[in-house]
Amino acid sequence: MSELLALSKVSCRRGRITLFSDIDVSLAAGQLLRVEGANGAGKTSLLRIICGLLSPIQGEVRWRGEKVTRLRDSFYSELLYLGHAAALKDDLTVLENLEIATTLAGERASATAMHEALAKAGLLSRAGALARTLSQGQKRRAALARLALSRHHLLWVLDEPFNALDRAAVSWLAGVIEAHLGAGGMVVLTSHQGVAFSEQISASTVML
């Protein structure tokens, strides 16, 4: 199985503190990577390094054999990164936020497809509601709904995607992730929750 994402001797420091060092891991199509560790261990920093948003103090991240810092647009066209924050615009509706997010990500989604994504996320009845009126769990689902519309992003990097989700939403999101992996995509995620995926999923873990 040919690797597409590879981290070699990646190390990160915050101030004078080394968060982690010598991370070596690779990911091929259809594989999931969990990043685990205590609060402050550097999980988010590692995700940002993978995305080329933060530079390691040593080591490198490669995508398709090339350093991500050299690829820029070609790498970002295949990357979908969702951080801690829901990143919704409070004065726009749930549907408007989803439309903007997919457009900015370079995806084209019909109104029907967006409504279906919101329905599967349990938010169809809130499609016309302003984002500021949503609960934290609803905001999280509204942000994650764009995953169901992702067609061109091979690599998903998700920071604590299961936070603030109830049991039904956790099951829905796990299904979305499994479908992406089954289609040959790749996922890197952090999670405090022991979410169980299908035994058919090829998964590995990095402990920080």
Side-chain angles (χ1 to χ4, degrees):
M1 190 177 293
S2 179
E3 65 184 31
L4 293 174
L5 177 71
L7 281 66
S8 176
K9 303 297 182 185
V10 171
S11 302
C12 178
R13 181 181 297 148
R14 182 183 297 154
R16 296 182 178 180
I17 300 174
T18 298
L19 296 179
F20 53 81
S21 58
D22 296 330
I23 298 295
D24 285 298
V25 67
S26 62
L27 211 59
Q31 292 187 322
L32 167 74
L33 174 65
R34 295 177 184 265
V35 179
E36 299 183 356
N39 288 338
K43 299 187 297 295
T44 295
S45 294
L46 181 57
L47 296 194
R48 289 176 59 82
I49 287 173
I50 290 173
C51 294
L53 301 174
L54 181 67
S55 298
I57 58 170
Q58 76 173 40
E60 61 186 25
V61 179
R62 291 181 174 271
W63 176 252
R64 298 186 184 276
E66 296 289 335
K67 290 183 179 180
V68 297
T69 51
R70 293 177 181 171
L71 293 173
R72 297 297 181 184
D73 290 347
S74 62
F75 174 55
Y76 293 140
S77 69
E78 296 188 275
L79 168 70
L80 193 157
Y81 172 58
L82 291 181
H84 274 294
L88 302 176
K89 294 186 179 297
D90 284 345
D91 294 326
L92 295 181
T93 67
V94 172
L95 182 60
E96 289 169 340
N97 269 289
L98 181 57
E99 183 177 12
I100 288 175
T102 53
T103 299
L104 291 176
E107 301 279 359
R108 292 183 178 181
S110 66
T112 298
M114 287 190 287
H115 278 94
E116 288 178 352
L118 290 177
K120 291 177 180 177
L123 287 174
L124 186 57
S125 65
R126 304 287 284 161
L130 296 180
R132 67 167 177 261
T133 68
L134 303 180
S135 68
Q136 286 303 113
Q138 289 172 332
K139 287 181 178 180
R140 196 63 179 157
R141 281 184 281 148
L144 292 165
R146 63 182 290 199
L147 295 178
L149 301 171
S150 177
R151 298 291 181 269
H152 306 299
H153 299 93
L154 185 61
L155 175 62
W156 292 356
V157 178
L158 313 175
D159 198 353
E160 297 292 347
F162 295 99
N163 269 11
L165 298 184
D166 59 22
R167 184 176 300 178
V170 167
S171 179
W172 159 74
L173 178 56
V176 171
I177 290 173
E178 289 193 9
H180 180 62
L181 295 170
M186 298 178 293
V187 177
V188 179
L189 61 81
T190 63
S191 178
H192 285 102
Q193 297 153 296
V195 177
F197 291 97
S198 167
E199 292 182 0
Q200 283 70 46
I201 298 300
S202 175
S204 56
T205 301
V206 169
M207 293 295 300
L208 301 182

